[in-house]
Amino acid sequence: MTQVNFTPRRHVVSLWSDLAIGMGPLTLTPALRATWNSASGLLDLDPRLSLTWAALKNLEFVVKGGLYSQLTNQIWSTEGFGVTGLPASTAVHAVVGGKLEALGFEFRLEGYSKWMTNQILYNPVYDPVFPSGADNPRYLSQGAASSYGLEFMVRRKVADRLFGWFSYSLSRSDRLFPKPVDASWVTAIDRFDVNDGAAYTNLAMAWY
């Protein structure tokens, strides 16, 4: 599958391509996402890989990982206010999990870990008397962070047009500020346990 996206306001062009390779009960899926951002002039390449094992007709396990990039907020890279040319924040994801279909339900259990770099941080020695620039940057892309957790999800298709799911997660996230701060702590937005639920219905008429 190949997908191309274009965002006119910021001139972001992205290309996604993947290839599923079947080998009996195993499916290997290499993928690549390429993103060009006109604000920074940088091209980010994010390789990803997943391996799925269909152990039984209704049971499968998956191991996947890859590199993910997140474009810098335009405000942070605005000349005079932020710093132009800030690189994208990056993260390495790793996921191990399984899926079981039984009694009309779909059960999923996944453990994940993320290691993040190039995190945008407020410069602790920034001097607000002078405009932000290369010699006096308001923001720095030197922060690091990590996140790990476990998620359990139950999904149920009630009818052709109605389905829903419920999930419960245990997670922890922290951030590391570089020198001169040189400190690490749990982020303010960290939530140790999270539960979510949703129900969806399809109101569109079928024309086939």
Side-chain angles (χ1 to χ4, degrees), residues 14 19 32 48 73 94 133 144 192:
S14 62
L19 176 65
L32 179 67
R48 299 168 193 176
N73 189 304
F192 177 69

Side-chain angles (χ1 to χ4, degrees), residues 63-160:
V63 178
K64 54 187 176 182
L67 181 65
Y68 291 75
S69 299
Q70 181 177 354
L71 297 178
T72 304
N73 189 304
Q74 285 183 287
I75 296 178
W76 294 337
S77 57
T78 301
E79 186 175 0
F81 179 81
V83 181
T84 58
L86 285 174
S89 298
T90 58
V92 176
H93 290 218
V95 178
V96 178
K99 180 180 74 171
L100 172 67
E101 296 179 358
L103 304 175
F105 291 87
E106 178 182 297
F107 302 92
R108 289 178 178 264
L109 180 65
E110 291 186 343
Y112 73 90
S113 184
K114 297 191 295 183
W115 301 271
M116 294 161 275
T117 57
N118 290 344
Q119 300 296 295
I120 306 301
L121 309 172
Y122 185 81
N123 184 3
V125 295
Y126 168 70
D127 188 348
V129 175
F130 302 97
S132 177
D135 298 328
N136 184 42
R138 185 190 299 261
Y139 300 104
L140 301 172
S141 59
Q142 300 175 3
S146 64
S147 179
Y148 51 91
L150 187 69
E151 180 182 64
F152 173 72
M153 185 180 76
V154 179
R155 187 177 185 272
R156 168 74 172 178
K157 185 176 182 180
V158 181
D160 289 341

